[in-house]
Amino acid sequence: MTNRQILQAMSGLMAGMFVAILAGTVVANALPRIITDLGASQSSYTWVVTSELLAMTATVPLWGKLSDLYNKKLLLQLSLGMFVVGSLLAGFSQGVELLIFSRVVQGIGAGGLTALAQVVMAAVIPPRRLGRYAGIFGAVFAVGTVAGPLIGGVLVDTSWLGWRWCFFIGVPFALLAIVLLQRTLRLPTVRREVRIDFLGAFLIVAGVCALLVWTSLAGNRFDWLSWQTAVLTGGGVVLLIAAVYVESRVPEPVIPLDIFRNRTVTLTTVASLLVGVAMFGGTVFLSQYFQISLGKSPTVAGLMSLPMILGLLVSSTVAGQVISATGRWKVYLVAGAITMTAGLGLLATIDSGTGFGLLSVYMAVLGIGVGMLMQNLVLAAQNDVPAAELGAATSVLSFFRSMGGTIGTSVLGAILANRVATEMTRGLEQAGVPATGARAPGGPEGGVPDVTALPAPVRAIVEHAYGVATADLFLVATPFALLALVAVVFIKEKPLKTTSGMERLAEESAGAGARASDGGPEQRPVDGDGGPGTDGGSGGETDGEAGREPAARVG
């Protein structure tokens, strides 16, 4: 594909990726209003958030595996269609039960978009050229992640729109992405006999959901040390052990365990998990810090996140361009991990009196580090696996990053709740005010204080408590970023391939067909619409260059 064709196809992918990220972040500032309007309980507050995240995280590996077996464009459009259905159901919900169900549908669709967008990129763009476009995707990811709360805050604060538009706003982007993908994306698919590992898929989803439900509710609905913890963690571990046993014996596993024999895949997976814990676990509470500790409105709180967006946007774009020009990528992983660790460490010094100028610098440093690190971890893994396993490898990284974010958010949320409760109790006692009934978010009452309605002395105590507690979250997140740096240092830098995933898959299929001696079906690339396949040329590489790639890589 030429650069123009790639950019045309990427327009649909970027719209889809933006929709997937927006779905999980746009409701952050709208949830209190949503729960109030629907007359729901505080426990529903948690499930509106976790249901989408659970569904997305648990289904990412399934979408990745399906992309190795079936037409990627069709799967991408299917996931967008599911997202549209879920968004419309959520927007028209009259009760919290339908809202939670619609969030599950949204999460399944978002899981497909998260996994498949990067798989499709690897299929049409050679790794040597991928950095240039990966930087753009990193920027889209940043804008969706950090701008979501801003958009949600504006919609909630606008009387003639309201919270329902937090769900409707993604529908036009999803429909546009479906149309653009149909018009611009041409992918070959491999026709071969396949066997879907339904048992392995069920065990993986059930085991992951059990552990994610535990991390989401422990410290909130029940104690960390309780019989519910024993049941959920024990059941989850048993299910995942059974999944490993099944995956090691079926011909078409959902997650091929062999890919973890590849050191690059293993280390990038560990780093992605740690980045998820550090980044999502730390930054998800920034909006709450802006609103409660600094007393800002939802709209202003969203605007205050712009330094992080700009840092991530600039660093991911510039690093991607330089990687494509030079072919060197490890230095940006190391630099990104160092910078991310420094940014989290700086944010661990904030309090209720920190000025916005200093806070902006700290957030920009964190954004720059994440921009250099997150997307290039995927590039390193995709460059070092056989083309037939691109989907599985990509989805594994996305899966562990999402799971790290879920675990980090839940655990750090419990730390925040306890720290806020301790600081508020201490402050109220020093002021001579009875501390009975003081609750932190996530506590038994789940109350988030409305600082505008509090007397000035109590308001100062609450603001101080949230400032101290938020700084503690970043302090706890910093060691995880440091561990990610250690994992990145041990990744071996390998030259970036100059052929796309489609070209490599054709070579691997041809090599497998030539070596086949058991009478099995020969894999044959065909066009995504059923016509004869193209050679998947990358617009600049010659046949000789493509021929220098090995027919298949193992480990």
Side-chain angles (χ1 to χ4, degrees):
M1 298 176 70
T2 64
N3 285 332
R4 180 177 180 181
Q5 290 171 326
I6 290 174
L7 288 172
Q8 287 175 339
M10 279 186 60
S11 61
L13 293 177
M14 286 188 290
M17 177 64 78
F18 182 72
V19 161
I21 302 304
L22 197 65
T25 59
V26 73
V27 298
N29 288 329
L31 273 176
R33 186 76 55 83
I34 294 173
I35 297 301
T36 300
D37 286 355
L38 295 180
S41 64
Q42 182 58 37
S43 62
S44 302
Y45 187 107
T46 301
W47 279 107
V48 171
V49 177
T50 57
S51 57
E52 192 264 348
L53 195 56
L54 283 171
M56 183 184 74
T57 304
T59 56
V60 160
L62 307 184
W63 286 107
K65 182 58 183 178
L66 290 174
S67 72
D68 287 333
L69 304 178
Y70 299 109
N71 183 265
K72 297 175 179 61
K73 183 170 80 171
L74 180 62
L75 291 171
L76 200 53
Q77 292 173 315
L78 176 63
S79 64
L80 284 164
M82 293 189 67
F83 180 85
V84 169
V85 171
S87 298
L88 292 175
L89 286 175
F92 288 114
S93 296
Q94 299 300 316
V96 74
E97 294 81 8
L98 179 58
L99 178 61
I100 292 173
F101 172 77
S102 66
R103 293 286 285 171
V104 172
V105 178
Q106 271 191 318
I108 296 173
L113 294 168
T114 302
L116 295 170
Q118 297 184 81
V119 174
V120 170
M121 281 181 61
V124 300
I125 308 172
R128 178 61 188 265
R129 299 165 61 194
L130 188 59
R132 178 186 310 165
Y133 304 99
I136 301 175
F137 265 82
V140 172
F141 185 91
V143 172
T145 299
V146 188
L150 167 62
I151 297 172
V154 172
L155 292 174
V156 170
D157 287 342
T158 305
S159 59
W160 52 276
L161 288 175
W163 63 263
R164 296 184 184 276
W165 279 94
C166 291
F167 302 105
F168 292 147
I169 193 172
V171 173
F173 289 99
L175 295 176
L176 176 64
I178 292 174
V179 173
L180 289 173
L181 289 170
Q182 183 62 33
R183 292 175 59 89
T184 62
L185 188 61
R186 293 292 182 268
L187 289 176
T189 193
V190 176
R191 281 184 179 164
R192 58 192 178 99
E193 294 181 3
V194 297
R195 299 176 183 176
I196 302 299
D197 177 23
F198 292 106
L199 178 58
F202 168 77
L203 292 172
I204 291 172
V205 171
V208 169
C209 284
L211 294 178
L212 292 181
V213 167
W214 169 62
T215 58
S216 299
L217 301 184
N220 180 5
R221 307 305 302 172
F222 50 82
D223 293 333
W224 287 97
L225 297 177
S226 62
W227 68 266
Q228 294 96 330
T229 291
V231 170
L232 289 173
T233 56
V237 170
V238 169
L239 288 169
L240 291 178
I241 291 174
V244 171
Y245 177 82
V246 171
E247 295 295 274
S248 65
R249 282 161 173 76
V250 295
E252 292 285 356
V254 175
I255 300 179
L257 301 181
D258 287 347
I259 66 174
F260 292 108
R261 295 178 181 175
N262 184 317
R263 189 175 76 170
T264 300
V265 172
T266 301
L267 290 174
T268 51
T269 298
V270 171
S272 295
L273 175 68
L274 296 168
V275 167
V277 173
M279 178 194 170
F280 293 101
T283 59
V284 74
F285 298 102
L286 271 177
S287 179
Q288 185 172 261
Y289 164 75
F290 294 147
Q291 294 183 57
I292 297 179
S293 188
L294 302 185
K296 307 299 182 182
S297 69
T299 302
V300 174
L303 289 171
M304 292 179 72
S305 301
L306 287 177
M308 188 181 299
I309 294 180
L310 295 175
L312 206 156
L313 175 67
V314 172
S315 67
S316 63
T317 304
V318 172
Q321 295 286 343
V322 176
I323 288 172
S324 292
T326 64
R328 302 294 300 275
W329 49 268
K330 182 175 178 178
V331 62
Y332 300 99
L333 290 182
V334 176
I338 293 173
T339 308
M340 183 179 73
T341 304
L344 290 169
L346 291 171
L347 285 168
T349 65
I350 63 175
D351 55 31
S352 59
T354 303
F356 179 63
L358 196 58
L359 192 60
S360 298
V361 173
Y362 295 167
M363 289 191 294
V365 171
L366 178 60
I368 290 170
V370 173
M372 287 192 288
L373 179 63
M374 189 165 57
Q375 195 66 28
N376 291 323
L377 286 171
V378 179
L379 171 64
Q382 289 176 338
N383 182 62
D384 202 33
V385 296
E389 294 180 357
L390 276 174
T394 304
S395 64
V396 163
L397 262 67
S398 299
F399 167 71
F400 278 97
R401 186 175 62 211
S402 297
M403 189 166 69
T406 306
I407 294 172
T409 301
S410 302
V411 175
L412 293 180
I415 294 174
L416 176 74
N418 293 329
R419 187 74 167 117
V420 166
T422 301
E423 288 294 322
M424 286 178 60
T425 301
R426 181 186 304 164
L428 291 172
E429 289 177 349
Q430 291 176 352
V433 179
T436 303
R439 301 293 184 190
E445 299 297 327
V448 177
D450 181 3
V451 293
T452 60
L454 296 174
V458 178
R459 177 174 178 172
I461 294 171
V462 172
E463 290 175 347
H464 172 74
Y466 275 87
V468 170
T470 305
D472 283 354
L473 295 190
F474 289 108
L475 185 62
V476 173
T478 301
F480 291 96
L482 193 59
L483 290 174
L485 171 61
V486 174
V488 164
V489 167
F490 285 98
I491 297 176
K492 182 179 179 181
E493 183 167 20
K494 297 182 180 180
L496 295 177
K497 293 181 173 63
T498 56
T499 50
S500 69
M502 293 189 296
E503 294 171 316
R504 290 157 57 192
L505 184 60
E507 294 166 5
E508 292 171 11
S509 300
R515 293 191 302 269
S517 59
D518 58 357
E522 180 179 341
Q523 296 180 1
R524 178 171 63 90
V526 297
D527 184 84
D529 297 324
T534 65
D535 62 0
S538 52
E541 281 76 20
T542 65
D543 292 339
E545 290 173 330
R548 284 196 294 269
E549 288 294 329
R553 289 179 57 88
V554 180

